[in-house]
Amino acid sequence: EDQVTQSPEALRLQEGESSSLNCSYTVSGLRGLFWYRQDPGKGPEFLFTLYSAGEEKEKERLKATLTKKESFLHITAPKPEDSATYLCAVQVTNFGNEKLTFGTGTRLTIIP
Amino acid sequence: NAGVMQNPRHLVRRRGQEARLRCSPMKGHSHVYWYRQLPEEGLKFMVYLQKENIIDESGMPKERFSAEFPKEGPSILRIQQVVRGDSAAYFCASSPGPQGRTDTQYFGPGTRLTVL
């Protein structure tokens, strides 16, 4: 069974204090790993897709990286507006199986 | 560019009533997915539909739940005879269909169902 585990469950940082969120996965074959951001009371907002080990993608203060077993979301010099829950999801290789399997998320709070 | 639209945003039902949740995909998207988010749990896949076809319903409860995506109009997730355990946020996502290596799903704002 495909599994996604995110850690930590919650993280509080001071504004400007860089850190990383972890997403470890166990799947039969990875087609893509996705990062989403979710604000309270809203739907997940797409951030990145990663396809293969060694790949990296960046957007503003966020950088996502991928290995064969896990992905990291690095946040550099965060601001209060980066506070949200960050979700990781995987999609497996057999086409026709389009569903995303999500982790339970990391709730990030940036303190001014 | 309108995103995925869901309505209603909030829905209150009494036990035993029916709930109908609607989802209009992004313009140009022909694939729709429904997910459920229970309190303190992650998003769980329920069903994947294309126009007039259910492609994967492996995450749907066997009873009381059904989904459709007609040729015209929004996708509907229908829950009959609701119970308190159905209280959750229901999210719809849409995608244009597999392009290259994968197919990004874009989510709507969700419908929060409360069963009294």
Side-chain angles (χ1 to χ4, degrees):
Chain A
E1 186 181 330
D2 303 324
Q3 282 196 317
V4 179
T5 303
Q6 291 189 247
S7 62
E9 287 186 17
L11 181 62
R12 290 170 63 89
L13 300 171
Q14 292 292 133
E15 183 173 358
E17 181 185 0
S18 302
S19 188
S20 295
L21 314 183
N22 177 264
C23 169
S24 60
Y25 60 92
T26 306
V27 296
S28 49
L30 183 69
R31 178 148 53 111
L33 184 139
F34 300 79
W35 283 98
Y36 288 85
R37 168 192 170 129
Q38 186 174 25
D39 292 295
K42 297 192 176 180
E45 175 189 343
F46 171 71
L47 293 173
F48 304 110
T49 309
L50 300 167
Y51 298 104
S52 52
E55 190 174 359
E56 298 183 353
K57 289 205 176 157
E58 284 188 69
K59 180 180 179 180
E60 295 182 355
R61 294 175 293 282
L62 299 175
K63 183 168 87 171
T65 61
L66 183 65
T67 72
K68 287 186 178 178
K69 293 184 179 180
E70 56 192 349
S71 176
F72 292 94
L73 185 65
H74 307 276
I75 183 161
T76 302
K79 299 182 178 181
E81 54 262 42
D82 296 320
S83 297
T85 296
Y86 290 85
L87 302 172
C88 170
V90 297
Q91 194 174 50
V92 298
T93 50
N94 43 321
F95 279 90
N97 184 358
E98 303 297 320
K99 68 181 180 186
L100 296 176
T101 300
F102 280 87
T104 51
T106 293
R107 189 169 62 255
L108 178 65
T109 304
I110 308 300
I111 304 159
Chain B
N1 232 1
V4 178
M5 298 175 68
Q6 291 188 247
N7 66 81
R9 294 292 310 278
H10 299 274
L11 182 61
V12 179
R13 285 287 177 265
R14 296 191 180 280
R15 280 180 296 168
Q17 291 185 319
E18 179 179 287
R20 280 185 178 239
L21 288 60
R22 295 176 197 79
C23 169
S24 296
M26 285 178 71
K27 188 176 179 181
H29 287 191
S30 57
H31 296 230
V32 165
Y33 314 80
W34 286 93
Y35 292 82
R36 178 164 65 174
Q37 189 171 41
L38 293 165
E40 306 305 322
E41 291 190 21
L43 281 153
K44 302 288 186 190
F45 168 79
M46 298 180 75
V47 62
Y48 162 38
L49 309 104
Q50 296 177 25
K51 287 282 188 181
E52 299 185 282
N53 281 305
I54 297 174
I55 307 301
D56 179 359
E57 56 182 347
S58 59
M60 281 281 260
K62 293 286 184 277
E63 297 177 352
R64 303 187 296 108
F65 285 73
S66 62
E68 63 176 6
F69 189 15
K71 189 176 180 181
E72 302 290 337
S75 175
I76 307 283
L77 179 68
R78 183 181 177 205
I79 311 172
Q80 295 179 290
Q81 299 175 332
V82 296
V83 301
R84 289 217 174 104
D86 297 333
S87 295
Y90 291 83
F91 291 97
C92 170
S94 74
S95 72
Q99 298 175 337
R101 283 191 278 187
T102 189
D103 185 20
T104 299
Q105 297 177 24
Y106 297 89
F107 284 79
T111 293
R112 276 143 190 88
L113 173 66
T114 302
V115 180
L116 301 177

